[in-house]
């Protein structure tokens, strides 16, 4: 009986750690290892898959890993519209942030991680204590918002227009960055996938 109780307590502790800190203690699908290897070997990675296949989880975790491990990193996360960014992308990025940074608000002259469920991250950007910055953009914006940026990682989720993709490729060159595209081909083949 004591062995069973001990096992259950350890199991519950592991589940709680994964819930509280998925960046360091969370579960990873086996295919994520291959995705990491391919992203390390190439400048761009396109991940296709069905709904709830884990694409968003992988991309969010990869983005936060860059933000946490590389002080001063710049990550852009793009989605089809501002409402879809707030509802579908920003909460997942927030969940992967280290617990001590997730609710910090504004601290000092650098760090600012302010989030509400209704509006997402304040002004669609946050800055971590290590000076890494994550900005949320969307395809309904004028494409000129991309000009001049230099990024360590860009994550495009769903239906990125081809002209945006072509422009974003120039944003990763100077920092030897990576371009990650996640897409559920609900309506089939697109020019971006081609």
């Amino acid at each position: 009986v004591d062995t069973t109780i001990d096992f259950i307590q350890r199991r519950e502790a592991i589940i709680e750690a994964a819930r509280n800190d998925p960046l360091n203690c969370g579960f990873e699908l086996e295919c994520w290892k291959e995705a990491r290897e391919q992203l390390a070997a190439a400048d761009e990675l396109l991940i296709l898959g069905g709904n709830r296949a884990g694409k968003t989880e992988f991309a969010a975790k990869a983005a936060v890993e860059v933000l946490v491990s590389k002080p001063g990193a710049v990550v852009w996360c793009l989605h089809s519209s501002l409402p879809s960014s707030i509802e579908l992308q920003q909460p997942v990025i927030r969940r992967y942030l280290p617990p001590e940074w997730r609710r910090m608000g504004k601290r000092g002259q650098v760090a600012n991680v302010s989030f509400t469920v209704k509006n997402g991250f304040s002004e669609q950007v946050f800055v971590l204590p290590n000076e890494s910055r994550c900005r949320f953009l969307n395809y309904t914006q004028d494409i000129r918002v991309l000009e001049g940026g230099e990024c360590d990682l860009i994550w495009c989720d769903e239906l990125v227009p081809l002209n945006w993709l072509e422009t974003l490729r120039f944003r990763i060159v100077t920092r030897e960055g990576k371009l990650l595209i996640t897409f559920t081909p609900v309506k089939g083949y697109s020019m971006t996938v081609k």
Side-chain angles (χ1 to χ4, degrees):
V1 175
D2 289 342
T3 308
T4 303
I5 291 171
D6 182 53
F7 174 80
I8 291 171
Q9 288 174 336
R10 283 186 287 129
R11 177 183 177 272
E12 291 300 316
I14 290 169
I15 291 170
E16 182 57 30
R19 186 178 296 125
N20 185 48
D21 187 5
L23 180 66
N24 297 303
C25 303
F27 171 80
E28 290 198 1
L29 296 169
E30 287 184 37
C31 60
W32 289 14
K33 180 182 179 194
E34 183 179 347
R36 287 181 197 286
E37 291 169 358
Q38 290 182 11
L39 189 58
D43 294 338
E44 298 179 27
L45 179 62
L46 170 64
I47 300 176
L48 301 172
N51 291 318
R52 312 282 77 79
K55 302 176 304 293
T56 297
E57 293 291 328
F58 170 77
K61 186 170 186 180
V64 172
E65 286 171 344
V66 169
L67 290 164
V68 170
S69 68
K70 185 175 183 182
V74 177
V75 171
W76 286 356
C77 300
L78 294 89
H79 212 286
S80 51
S81 68
L82 178 58
S84 61
S85 172
I86 291 169
E87 185 175 336
L88 304 172
Q89 195 175 43
Q90 294 183 37
V92 184
I93 288 283
R94 181 179 180 268
R95 185 171 61 248
Y96 279 101
L97 289 174
E100 63 273 16
W101 290 355
R102 210 174 288 146
R103 294 180 181 87
M104 72 183 331
K106 180 163 176 40
R107 289 220 184 127
Q109 294 182 338
V110 174
N112 190 342
V113 183
S114 299
F115 179 90
T116 65
V117 173
K118 179 183 175 189
N119 297 314
F121 287 100
S122 173
E123 299 180 41
Q124 309 313 305
V125 65
F126 64 84
V127 182
L128 298 175
N130 67 356
E131 298 188 18
S132 289
R133 171 187 304 266
C134 184
R135 178 167 303 281
F136 296 91
L137 302 164
N138 62 81
Y139 315 134
T140 65
Q141 293 177 285
D142 188 316
I143 196 169
R144 290 178 288 185
V145 301
L146 306 176
E147 295 305 322
E150 297 179 351
C151 300
D152 297 283
L153 178 81
I154 299 173
W155 167 30
C156 300
D157 197 14
E158 304 299 348
L159 298 175
V160 57
L162 183 58
N163 62 332
W164 279 66
L165 183 60
E166 291 167 346
T167 300
L168 288 167
R169 287 178 171 142
F170 292 105
R171 304 298 114 220
I172 61 170
V173 173
T174 56
R175 296 177 75 114
E176 298 179 11
K178 302 291 181 176
L179 183 56
L180 180 58
I181 304 159
T182 53
F183 178 63
T184 303
V186 173
K187 296 184 180 179
Y189 195 71
S190 72
M191 288 306 294
T192 301
V193 173
K194 181 181 177 185

